[in-house]
Amino acid sequence: MNKFPTKLLLNGKWLEGSGASRLVVTNPATEETFAEVSSATVGEIGSAAEAGQVAFESSWRDMPPGQRAELLRGIAKLIRENTESIAQLETRNVGKPIGDARWEIDAGAKVFEYYAGAIGHLCGQTIPVARGGLDFTLRQPMGVIAAITPWNFPFLIACWKVAPALAAGNSVVLKPASLTPLTALCLGQLAQEAGLPDGVLQVLPGSGHEAGNALATHPLIRKIGFTGSTEVGAKIMKLAADDIKRVSLELGGKSPNIVFADADWHRAALESPMSVFANTGQDCCARSRMFIEQSIFDDFVSQFVSATEELNIGDPLLDDTQIGPMVSSDQRELSESFIAEAKGDGRNVLTGGERLSGSGFYLKPAVVTGTEINDRVWREEIFGPVVCLRPFSDEAAMISEVNDTSFGLSGSVWSKDLNRALRVANRVESGVISINSHSSVHTEAPFGGFKSSGLGRDLGMSAMEACTEIKNIYVGE
Ligand code: NAP
Ligand code: MG
C-alpha cells in the first residue's frame, strides 16, 4: 500500500483529528519515520461512542443476520484482495518478516469468514422450568464495544476483536497501539468499502493515556476487549468497575515448553527456537521457559543452540527472513537489560544477545542456562528474543515449578507417552497448551489465559458469546 489512511475513521468520515500531537510511525528495520497519523482526543472518542450507539440502534442491531454475515464475508474478500499491500505495510511498521505478515493478514480474513458463518450458530436455549410455561434465552448484542490492541500483531488481533463483536450485532470503536496504527486503519477502510454502515466500525488511533482511558470510562461503551500488558489490563479492569463495563483481557505470558526424554526431542530441539523467537520473541505465547528432562539436557541444549544459530535474521522484507528487528529501540533495550542482568549474575548466555551492525533494532536470539528460579530473566515476561532452559528430573516437582508464576497463557508438552503428556497438560495452569506441537492458536478454538494472563477468551464461539448479554424470557401458561 503506497497510499494508506492516516486520519481518524469517525462515523464514516476520515477526519484529521484535533489533537495537537500526531503519532509518528517508524520502520524498525531502517529506523526511518515514514508516516504520521492523527491522534484522537477525549472529545473525538466521545463523538465516536455516540456515533457507534446511533449506528447500533439504527442499522446494525436489527439487520437480518444473513445480511450482516454477507457484509463480514465482503470484508474478508477485500482483505484477501489486498493481502500483499497490507502485509508490506505491516512489515514496514512492525519489522516482522514478510512471510509471517502475509500469513497473519490471511488469518485475519479467515477470522471474518469464521464469524460470518458463526452468526447462524449464535443460539439461545429452551429451558424446562419447574413451573411449566415456556422459558427461553436470547443472546442480545451489548451496544458499542471498544477494542484496544497492541503492536505485536496489529492487524490480526484487531480482526480477533472486531469480527466477533460485529458478528454478534455490536458496533465497534477500535483503538490500535500508537506504534502501529496503520493496518487497523486499513481494516476500517476495507470495512467501509465492503459497505458496512457508517459508525458500525470506527478506528481511532490515539494514546493509551488519552484515547484508551477515554474509551475505558465512557458510559456508552458497554465492553472493552483488550490485548496488551498485564499492567494496563489491570488498569482497564479498575476503570471498567465504575459502571460495571464488561472486560475481556488477553495479557502477558511466560509460557513453559516441557520436553521429556521419551519425546521425539530432536524434533522438539529443532522446532522450539521458533516457538519463542518468532516475531522476535514479541509474542504473548512465546515459550520462554524451557523445562528439559535431565538425562537429555546437555544434548538438547546443544541441538537447540545450533538450531537457533541457523535462524535467518535480517531484512524483514526478504522472503527467507525468519527473524526481523524488534519493534522499537525501547523494546530492544528492555531485552538487553535482562541479558545484561543474567550475565552479571553469572548465568550462561550460550549464544546471541548482540545487536546486528548497521541500522535497525535487531537483537540476536539469546539462549540462557544456569538460571535460578528467582532470577528476573526466568520469572518475568521479557517480550523479546530471550529464552531460559532448566533441567528437571522429577515430574511433580517440575509441574510445581511450571506453575510457580503469576502467568498462565500457553505452553507445550513433548512426550510419546500420551498418558503422561495429558496428565501434565491437565496440571499446567494455562488457558492453552499443545502436546507435541507449538501450535496453540486456532480461529475456531478459545484462546486466553489463566491467572494474570487474562480474563475471557478470544476466538471460537466463546469470543462471540462474550460480546452478547443473555436475556431470559418466560411465557406463562
Ligand atoms: P500495552 O502497553 O498494554 O498497550 C496495549 C494497548 O493499550 C495499546 O493500544 C495502548 O496504547 C493501550 N493503553 C496503554 N495504556 C493505556 C491506558 N492507561 N488505558 C487504556 N489503554 C491503554 O501493551 P503493548 O506495549 O502494546 O504490548 C506488549 C504487551 O502486550 C506484552 O506484555 C504482551 O504480553 C501483551 N500481549 C498479550 C497478548 C495476549 O493475547 N495475551 C497478545 C499480544 C500482546 P498505546 O500504544 O498508546 O500505549
Ligand atoms: Mg506499552
Side-chain angles (χ1 to χ4, degrees), residues 23 147-153 157 160-161 175-180 206-216 224 226-233 235-236 239 249-253 282-285 331 381 383 407 409 447-449 453-454 458:
L23 306 176
I148 301 180
T149 51
W151 45 258
N152 57 345
F153 296 93
I157 292 181
W160 288 10
K161 305 290 180 197
K175 190 210 89 64
S178 297
L179 285 174
T180 57
S207 82
H209 301 295
E210 185 168 0
N213 190 79
L215 284 167
I224 310 279
F226 172 80
T227 295
S229 59
T230 297
E231 184 197 351
V232 174
K235 250 186 223 168
I236 286 178
L239 292 172
L249 307 169
E250 301 295 344
L251 310 173
Q282 303 164 125
D283 182 344
C284 50
C285 283
Q331 285 298 313
E381 180 177 50
F383 225 57
F407 295 115
L409 187 58
F447 172 75
S453 285
D458 275 325

